Amino acid sequence: MAEAHQAVAFQFTITPEGIDLQLSHQALQQVYLSGLRSWKKRISRLKNNFITGVYPASPSSWLFVVIAILATMYTRSDPSMGLIAKIQEHLPVRYSICFLTVVSAVLFSTLLWLSLIFTMRLCLKQLLSYHKWMFEQRNKMSTTTKVWMALVRIFSGRQPLLYSYQGSLPNLPVPAIKDTVKRYLDSVRPLMSTAEFERMTTLAKEFEGGFGNKLNWYLKLKALWASNYVSDWWEEYIYLRGRGPIMVNSNYYGMDFVYVTPTPIQAARAGNALHAFLLYRRKLNKEDIKPWLLRSTVPSCSYQFERIFNTSRIPGIITDAVVHWQDSDYVAVHHRGRYFRLWLYQAGRLLSPREIEHQIQRILDDPSPPSPGEEKLGALTAGDRVPWAQARKEFFSSGVNKRSLDCIERAAFFVTLSDDEHVIMGDDPTPCLDRYAKALLHGKCYDRWFDKSFSLVVFKNGRHGLNAEHSWADAPVVAHMWEYVLATDCFQLGYNEEGHCKGDVNPSLSQPQRLKKSFSLSVAQALADDVDFHVITLRDFGKGRIKKLRVSPDAFIQIALQLAYYRDRGMFSLTYEASMTRLFREGRTETVRSCTSESCAFVKAFEDVCHRLFRMACDKHQNLYRMAMTGAGIDRHLFCLYVVSKYLGEESPFLKEVLSDPWRLSTSQTPFQQVELFDMVNHPEYITCGGGFGPVADDGYGVSYSIIGENIINFHISCKHSCPQTDSHKFGALIKKSLTDLDQMLSAEQKAARNEQNTGGNSTQAKKDL
């Protein structure tokens, strides 16, 4: 690759008369304004750090405490009980007594204020360690929980910034060994024969009574020292140390609106989207994003938001690294095998959507061909990590290649301008959605930069989507940003009658800079070709319908997945459902083992229409989900115990067997977090189809689903063509049938209950008449 020459602020020429210095005032102005913008960001960050540091108090409360102390002293009272006089004794005596008294009072007030902040934060941290509220229904809360919620609101302060609660969140607790082992055995009981379960019980008891306690002691020691005893090891060993391709295996995608494309002009759609992304980054830098509150009261951890932008995964021989830069004024753009640097700021000002559209159109109109080896350079990020690390060290460690690679990795994010079109049309849009999903997940394998925190893909007909790297954050964080971008694009920025971005173009905008070897992409291409994807969107069956059946929507869907899998394979499988642990500081996810004894018993008895078993299975699933959210899960604890055993150089037959179990059914729900940004009544077509991921096991399924509003559920189902036992379309049909069967079963149950109630009411009235 070769990089275009950079603009310079001055030139000089040595002549016989001396040095002829030629200053470029325009370039100097750009340097000045860019530096000014950087300093403004630093000052804003410093201010936000101070506000967050004193939360739940406010900076103005310091003045209130100072005035209160001084006013009390004016009445000849000493609220400090002699401490002000002690402070005064240590101050220089060359000033007047009155001045020294005021200074001492201000110092005492400041110490008192800081003590109050520490006490409030400690109280809030203790309050947030209470989790019984999650196991109670909203309309049946205990008196203890009501008092607790009132106290949380009192100690939470007002107008929190994004990171205001970080210092008040409790640490993730380390469960007791016996509790984790008991929950694990309960989860695998329906998956094993009697002999297998007895053998596993023996291994578990040996581990619990001996080696396990030693390992757990180390975890408790780490929990005292670290903010979270799981997250750093989870990021390193699950994500960054994986040596296989991250494309399909780790990265995931997010879709555009399904039933409408706001404009068919590719450059215009990219212009609005890029501008919306930078508006979101501005809000992020100002911490002007509301923390996510459960039940409008309980805060969740926001630390994952820190690395959304200006972040890239860097390959290594043994392990990768996630590198984050403080700022970036440009994005890296790929079009027809060529790479460009597109500046998004001019004179410290964010370009308007119309100006960005103009710059994107310049790239689209550029007729230059790719340089030798440039076209398929992105395939390096799609293949195995070790060859990519070796190539990086050999070919990109110095010179112009290194500078060009730095340009891509330091970009705010990556943009792909695709020549493909994806039109969702016809009575059955499913085949179009399937192709669209595969295009977002892997594309051509070389037209993405899979190492970037996220990549925006804009297709020729104006439809776009997102591909995100998984190690730095989980899907809900990316989904929050994506919801904002979609809503801002259509409902705030909009387009003119011709479909272009609104506004005018500054004619002084400089051209996007062209960044100018080939490597085999056979591994990545084979992986992409093996992915079988199927997308289902249900518009007449959603959360509203399920709630009328008095069942948790997530539990309903998970039981339906168990029923569908049993109908597909004639057996049960260890099932993974991701649950968030963001109620704790730096929390990420925990596993909900959705295949339980209760769900298996219901599925087996389904033909006998056993309603009681269904309710028991749903209750068990809800309880497991809540336990996972409150730090009482199974798999993250066992994973950390395994890491400690490796550090100690000791083997545990129990842990080795536990962590070797394959997840043949891996599921995840992506929450729809910002409903207020969309008008689902007047504009129901402006709704995203969610996103998906590749299968975790070669002989299994990956199922992502999103529950949107009251009437929509979307499923993204993946598996591999190379496995003869899996078929995404067949499994999708079984999911739809299972949902319908469960709905009919519960509807019939409710109808029978109403009839029985009416019959009982009529009998009672007849008795009264007699």
Side-chain angles (χ1 to χ4, degrees):
M1 298 191 299
E3 186 176 31
H5 293 291
Q6 301 296 312
V8 292
F10 63 90
Q11 298 175 343
F12 65 90
T13 305
I14 301 177
T15 67
E17 290 76 19
I19 298 178
D20 179 20
L21 187 64
Q22 302 173 359
L23 293 175
S24 170
H25 294 287
Q26 183 180 5
L28 284 175
Q29 184 185 30
Q30 294 291 332
V31 172
Y32 166 75
L33 292 173
S34 179
L36 184 63
R37 172 178 170 269
S38 179
W39 275 104
K40 285 181 177 179
K41 285 189 64 177
R42 291 175 185 174
I43 293 172
S44 175
R45 192 179 295 118
L46 184 64
K47 182 191 75 172
N48 289 337
N49 287 341
F50 176 72
I51 294 174
T52 299
V54 302
Y55 197 84
S58 63
S60 59
S61 64
W62 172 82
L63 186 61
F64 174 81
V65 174
V66 171
I67 293 174
I69 294 296
L70 291 175
T72 306
M73 293 179 64
Y74 184 76
T75 62
R76 299 183 183 277
S77 300
D78 184 7
S80 70
M81 294 181 292
L83 288 177
I84 292 178
K86 289 287 185 181
I87 295 173
Q88 189 173 338
E89 292 176 1
H90 294 82
L91 296 177
V93 295
R94 61 178 178 269
Y95 299 103
S96 66
I97 297 297
C98 183
F99 177 78
L100 292 175
T101 302
V102 171
V103 171
S104 300
V106 171
L107 289 175
F108 171 77
S109 302
T110 302
L111 292 173
L112 177 62
W113 180 64
L114 293 174
S115 300
L116 291 173
I117 291 172
F118 178 78
T119 302
M120 291 179 66
R121 184 172 288 187
L122 188 62
C123 290
L124 183 57
K125 191 169 188 175
Q126 291 301 315
L127 287 169
L128 294 178
S129 299
Y130 173 84
H131 295 127
K132 290 183 180 179
W133 61 272
M134 187 171 289
F135 298 87
E136 299 176 356
Q137 297 181 13
R138 291 195 181 192
N139 56 350
K140 295 182 180 180
M141 286 192 298
S142 64
T143 303
T144 302
T145 298
K146 290 178 181 178
V147 172
W148 169 81
M149 294 190 78
L151 289 173
V152 169
R153 292 191 180 102
I154 292 172
F155 283 94
S156 288
R158 296 180 179 180
Q159 299 178 340
L161 298 177
L162 178 61
Y163 304 118
S164 292
Y165 290 109
Q166 290 301 100
S168 302
L169 292 173
N171 290 0
L172 183 68
V174 179
I177 282 287
K178 63 177 182 178
D179 294 336
T180 299
V181 168
K182 182 179 181 299
R183 286 191 286 264
Y184 170 77
L185 292 175
D186 183 53
S187 72
V188 298
R189 182 64 188 93
L191 304 174
M192 295 180 174
S193 66
T194 302
E196 290 173 333
F197 183 72
E198 288 178 354
R199 184 182 65 85
M200 180 55 73
T201 300
T202 302
L203 289 175
K205 294 303 180 183
E206 291 175 355
F207 175 77
E208 178 186 337
F211 190 36
N213 288 315
K214 177 182 177 181
L215 299 179
N216 215 40
W217 183 86
Y218 281 100
L219 284 188
K220 290 180 179 179
L221 189 64
K222 182 187 178 184
L224 291 174
W225 177 257
S227 300
N228 190 294
Y229 80 93
V230 175
S231 294
D232 57 337
W233 286 349
W234 186 255
E235 180 176 308
E236 179 179 357
Y237 293 106
I238 297 302
Y239 293 115
L240 299 180
R241 290 215 177 194
R243 302 294 80 196
I246 62 174
M247 182 196 75
V248 175
N249 294 330
S250 180
N251 285 32
Y252 54 94
Y253 66 87
M255 282 188 169
D256 193 4
F257 301 123
V258 182
Y259 300 101
V260 63
T261 303
T263 177
I265 302 175
Q266 185 179 20
R269 193 76 198 280
N272 265 9
L274 265 64
H275 187 83
F277 275 119
L278 271 296
L279 290 179
Y280 186 86
R281 188 175 72 167
R282 180 185 295 173
K283 289 171 66 71
L284 190 62
N285 290 337
K286 293 180 178 179
E287 300 183 25
D288 193 22
I289 297 173
K290 294 180 180 179
W292 187 29
L293 302 178
L294 279 74
R295 297 196 182 181
S296 304
T297 303
V298 187
S300 60
C301 181
S302 301
Y303 97 102
Q304 294 182 52
F305 284 84
E306 297 174 0
R307 298 186 291 181
I308 292 181
F309 296 94
N310 328 320
T311 300
S312 190
R313 178 170 175 162
I314 308 300
I317 301 297
I318 297 176
T319 182
D320 293 354
V322 175
V323 180
H324 172 72
W325 292 269
Q326 285 297 325
D327 196 14
S328 181
D329 295 345
Y330 65 91
V331 293
V333 181
H334 176 276
H335 177 242
R336 292 181 180 173
R338 304 161 305 164
Y339 292 84
F340 297 82
R341 170 155 56 182
L342 174 59
W343 295 99
L344 297 175
Y345 291 85
Q346 185 186 43
R349 173 187 64 86
L350 175 62
L351 298 184
S352 69
R354 185 70 182 88
E355 290 172 328
I356 298 176
E357 177 190 349
H358 178 69
Q359 296 293 77
I360 292 291
Q361 194 60 53
R362 283 177 163 180
I363 294 175
L364 294 172
D365 294 339
D366 188 331
S368 61
S371 300
E374 181 184 15
E375 181 180 7
K376 297 180 179 179
L377 179 67
L380 286 168
T381 67
D384 291 327
R385 304 305 292 174
V386 173
W388 173 204
Q390 293 169 337
R392 178 188 174 89
K393 183 178 181 180
E394 182 176 355
F395 300 108
F396 299 95
S397 58
S398 63
V400 67
N401 277 2
K402 182 180 186 304
R403 293 195 296 272
S404 297
L405 182 61
D406 284 347
C407 178
I408 294 175
E409 292 176 340
R410 292 172 180 262
F413 53 94
F414 194 81
V415 180
T416 295
L417 302 175
S418 175
D419 284 338
D420 297 334
E421 296 187 8
H422 288 278
V423 181
I424 312 301
M425 59 186 299
D427 295 333
D428 183 12
T430 299
C432 303
L433 286 172
D434 296 348
R435 290 191 295 271
Y436 178 35
K438 283 179 65 66
L440 290 176
L441 185 65
H442 55 69
K444 298 175 182 177
C445 303
Y446 57 81
D447 57 348
R448 311 277 191 274
W449 201 264
F450 293 100
D451 286 353
K452 284 301 292 180
S453 55
F454 70 91
S455 300
L456 174 69
V457 184
V458 188
F459 297 103
K460 191 174 183 179
N461 63 329
R463 188 172 295 279
H464 64 19
L466 201 70
N467 183 286
E469 201 275 320
H470 207 328
S471 64
W472 61 273
D474 299 310
V477 174
V478 176
H480 188 278
M481 172 187 67
W482 188 232
E483 290 168 9
Y484 176 88
V485 169
L486 290 175
T488 303
D489 173 14
C490 295
F491 302 129
Q492 295 185 28
L493 301 177
Y495 302 88
N496 61 24
E497 294 180 355
E498 291 79 24
H500 293 282
C501 298
K502 297 177 181 178
D504 300 319
V505 178
N506 186 343
S508 67
L509 291 176
S510 59
Q511 287 275 356
Q513 294 179 347
R514 172 76 186 275
L515 305 176
K516 294 222 173 186
K517 264 185 163 297
S518 168
F519 296 86
S520 172
L521 65 140
S522 58
V523 173
Q525 192 65 60
L527 180 61
D529 291 342
D530 196 23
V531 177
D532 177 19
F533 240 103
H534 184 47
V535 180
I536 303 173
T537 177
L538 305 176
R539 302 198 72 187
D540 54 355
F541 185 87
K543 180 174 65 176
R545 174 65 182 164
I546 298 173
K547 282 187 172 181
K548 289 180 180 178
L549 302 174
R550 299 181 180 180
V551 180
S552 159
D554 184 71
F556 185 93
I557 292 172
Q558 285 292 330
I559 300 304
L561 290 173
Q562 293 298 319
L563 181 58
Y565 189 87
Y566 186 78
R567 287 171 167 175
D568 180 50
R569 302 289 292 272
M571 57 183 289
F572 297 104
S573 171
L574 190 62
T575 304
Y576 181 108
E577 182 188 5
S579 165
M580 70 106 175
T581 56
R582 287 169 59 193
L583 294 177
F584 303 97
R585 190 172 183 180
E586 297 185 14
R588 291 196 59 163
T589 61
E590 176 58 277
T591 303
V592 179
R593 294 182 167 228
S594 304
C595 183
T596 63
S597 298
E598 288 79 359
S599 66
C600 293
F602 163 71
V603 169
K604 290 178 179 178
F606 182 73
E607 300 302 326
D608 297 329
V609 195
C610 191
H611 308 97
R612 182 179 59 84
L613 290 177
F614 176 79
R615 299 286 179 183
M616 290 175 61
C618 287
D619 291 343
K620 179 61 175 290
H621 178 80
Q622 279 188 281
N623 188 60
L624 288 176
Y625 201 97
R626 290 162 177 164
M627 291 177 68
M629 289 183 66
T630 54
I634 301 171
D635 291 274
R636 299 302 178 270
H637 186 204
L638 293 175
F639 160 76
C640 288
L641 292 170
Y642 181 76
V643 172
V644 174
S645 72
K646 287 298 182 181
Y647 277 126
L648 296 178
E650 299 186 42
E651 288 286 341
S652 167
F654 171 71
L655 291 176
K656 185 177 181 180
E657 189 156 342
V658 167
L659 271 72
S660 64
D661 292 337
W663 299 99
R664 291 191 175 89
L665 183 55
S666 179
T667 70
S668 178
Q669 179 189 169
T670 303
F672 193 57
Q673 304 165 74
Q674 302 172 91
V675 182
E676 69 277 3
L677 297 180
F678 300 86
D679 187 352
M680 299 181 64
V681 176
N682 298 317
H683 300 285
E685 69 278 9
Y686 283 91
I687 203 68
T688 177
C689 194
F693 54 87
V696 174
D698 291 339
D699 59 345
Y701 291 103
V703 181
S704 172
Y705 57 96
S706 54
I707 303 172
I708 301 176
E710 299 296 317
N711 302 310
I712 300 174
I713 302 178
N714 299 312
F715 289 90
H716 297 250
I717 306 158
S718 64
C719 62
K720 292 192 174 182
H721 289 295
S722 57
C723 178
Q725 287 84 30
T726 57
D727 185 323
S728 65
H729 291 73
K730 177 186 174 184
F731 193 56
L734 289 172
I735 290 175
K736 292 175 70 174
K737 185 179 187 312
S738 298
L739 290 170
T740 302
D741 289 347
L742 292 179
D743 177 42
Q744 292 175 350
M745 180 193 76
L746 294 178
S747 297
E749 178 190 18
Q750 284 192 339
K751 184 177 180 180
R754 285 195 299 268
N755 291 339
E756 184 178 350
Q757 185 177 9
N758 293 335
T759 303
N762 293 337
S763 300
T764 302
Q765 185 64 40
K767 291 179 180 179
K768 287 182 179 180
D769 293 340
L770 289 173

